[in-house]
Each structure stands twice: as C-alpha cells, then as structure tokens.
Amino acid sequence: MLTFIAYPKCSTCRRAKAELQELGLDFEERDIVTQTPKAEELLAWLKAGEFPIKAFFNTSGQSYRALGLKDKVADLQAEEAARLLASDGMLIKRPLLVKDGQLLQIGHRKSYDALNL
C-alpha cells in the first residue's frame, strides 16, 4: 500500500499529490499534523539509513527555527530525532511517500515516475 503523508495547505504537497493522481496511483493520504508519524515509525525509517537525519527535518519551518535546531540536528541520535519529530508534525520535511512501511522519498524534488511505482 502506498501512503502519502502531507500537509494539505502546503503547495509542494498539493503538486506532489496531483502528480500521484496523474500517474493513476492508488494511495492513502495522511495529514502530517493530525496523523503525525509515531516515533517508532520514524525511528524505523531513520534506522533504515536511506536518508540522513537532517533530511527528515523541515529546516525552513517555524517550529525548526523556534527550537533552534540548526546547530543541534547534526548531533542528534536516531532515537532522539524520532521523538522530536513525532512531537510536532510541522518539524517533518514533507511530503513523505511510503510503500508497505518503507520510506521511499522525503520532499518532492524529483518525479515520482522515476520511482517506478
């Protein structure tokens, strides 16, 4: 099952969703704020090692700046990062694309078509 985790008001998320729909892909959509990924889920993705810890953080977001995370993220262990991210969905870089529990992509920089879904 394909899961699209996004913030509905985010223009990048809306463009990414439109691309998934244009590709004719079936997916479940989750609101990153009201259905924030749990720490256990985030930890599994962090430990998979596909993406560096910093990639999970919305570095341009207000929550990130308010917590002064710029100089702290580099020193975070996976467990601590997962707990922090799970505490506020707005800290998480979005959108996330997950297939069968495996994180495929963070953000929307490249086409989903390239993922061969």
Side-chain angles (χ1 to χ4, degrees):
M1 172 52 125
L2 197 58
T3 305
F4 179 71
I5 305 172
Y7 181 53
K9 296 179 183 179
C10 168
S11 60
T12 300
C13 295
R14 288 194 305 264
R15 283 192 304 272
K17 180 180 177 180
E19 182 182 342
L20 290 173
Q21 291 169 330
E22 287 173 19
L23 291 170
L25 297 170
D26 289 327
F27 59 92
E28 170 190 330
E29 185 172 359
R30 280 175 52 187
D31 183 320
I32 203 160
V33 175
T34 62
Q35 296 175 297
T36 304
K38 303 283 185 229
E40 298 80 19
E41 193 173 23
L42 289 157
L43 184 57
W45 297 335
L46 284 161
K47 286 189 170 186
E50 297 284 326
F51 303 94
I53 288 176
K54 186 173 182 177
F56 285 83
F57 285 86
N58 177 12
T59 58
S60 62
Q62 292 177 357
S63 294
Y64 183 86
R65 288 193 301 266
L67 292 172
L69 294 174
K70 181 180 178 185
D71 298 323
K72 299 175 185 174
V73 169
D75 297 326
L76 291 177
Q77 297 298 314
E79 293 80 4
E80 186 179 8
R83 283 192 303 274
L84 185 59
L85 291 162
S87 72
D88 181 357
M90 295 304 280
L91 283 173
I92 303 171
K93 176 80 174 175
R94 56 192 183 262
L96 301 174
L97 190 62
V98 180
K99 184 174 184 182
D100 300 325
Q102 178 185 357
L103 182 63
L104 300 178
Q105 188 169 321
I106 299 173
H108 189 250
R109 292 189 187 100
K110 53 187 171 185
S111 173
Y112 289 136
D113 195 34
L115 294 174
N116 296 316
L117 302 170

